[in-house]
Amino acid sequence: APFYFQNTTVVGNGSTVQTGLFGGTYVAGNTFKHFHGSPCTGCVPGGSQGSAIATGAGTFTNNTIQDSDTGILVEQAPNTVTISGNTFSGVGTAIVLALNQSKQVVQNNHISTVVRSGGWPYYPGVGIAVCGEQGDTIKGNTISGAAVYGIAMFAYQSAGCLNSGPGSYPTKNNTVSGNNVSGSGSAD
């Protein structure tokens, strides 16, 4: 059954391992803030700690995500997730797409002040992190002030893009177009 989550403010306590929302079919008009995880040494994809939203399907639109380690984590999803029109600020990593089985869509989001601390274990300071993805569309996003990279594509089984389970997830055939990226620490 569809799960709709709309027009709600969700606040974490800012210190213990938490995820603001796990799942959802249509998530719109919400505010998520203060979601942080504990330090994670040697982590591999699979943990949603410190994520405002962790999901595998649905539409996420017009949400505001503030002061969280990770804004939206889409990992090992069997279905397409559309992330559009959201505003992120003060996050460690705004959007992470990792090891998904279907094409993902990230468009028209506004991302600012991406900090180096916090963030999904391998991508602190990255606006949009892509790991082991094929056929995703990343377009029309505005990213300013990422501590490291605005948009980063990581090669499968490279540092930060690991999978401890079976399968192969090469990063290829993704479309990145029409994004406005500025003020990143290492590269735009």
Side-chain angles (χ1 to χ4, degrees), residues 110-180:
H110 301 279
I111 301 168
S112 63
T113 317
V114 181
V115 297
R116 188 178 274 280
S117 62
W120 201 51
Y122 299 108
Y123 310 123
V126 176
I128 300 173
V130 178
C131 160
E133 292 287 301
Q134 297 182 41
D136 292 351
T137 299
I138 300 169
K139 67 178 183 176
N141 300 287
T142 301
I143 304 169
S144 61
V148 183
Y149 302 118
I151 299 172
M153 298 281 185
F154 294 93
Y156 177 64
Q157 296 298 55
S158 67
C161 186
L162 303 172
N163 179 26
S164 60
S168 175
Y169 301 87
T171 302
K172 64 180 187 178
N173 301 326
N174 296 291
T175 301
V176 179
S177 65
N179 298 287
N180 182 356

Side-chain angles (χ1 to χ4, degrees), residues 58-61 72 74 81-86 88 95-97 105-109 141:
T59 299
F60 297 82
T61 187
I72 298 177
V74 181
V81 174
T82 300
I83 301 168
S84 67
N86 300 287
F88 301 82
I95 300 168
V96 176
L97 305 176
V105 177
V106 177
Q107 62 187 14
N108 304 323
N109 295 286
N141 300 287

Side-chain angles (χ1 to χ4, degrees), residues 45-105:
S48 62
Q49 65 273 7
S51 297
I53 301 170
T55 188
T59 299
F60 297 82
T61 187
N62 299 323
N63 297 289
T64 299
I65 300 171
Q66 304 168 328
D67 182 37
S68 295
D69 288 350
T70 301
I72 298 177
L73 168 64
V74 181
E75 182 180 35
Q76 297 180 348
N79 302 303
T80 297
V81 174
T82 300
I83 301 168
S84 67
N86 300 287
T87 300
F88 301 82
S89 64
V91 294
T93 308
I95 300 168
V96 176
L97 305 176
L99 312 175
N100 291 296
Q101 301 164 25
S102 59
K103 299 174 182 179
Q104 308 305 319
V105 177

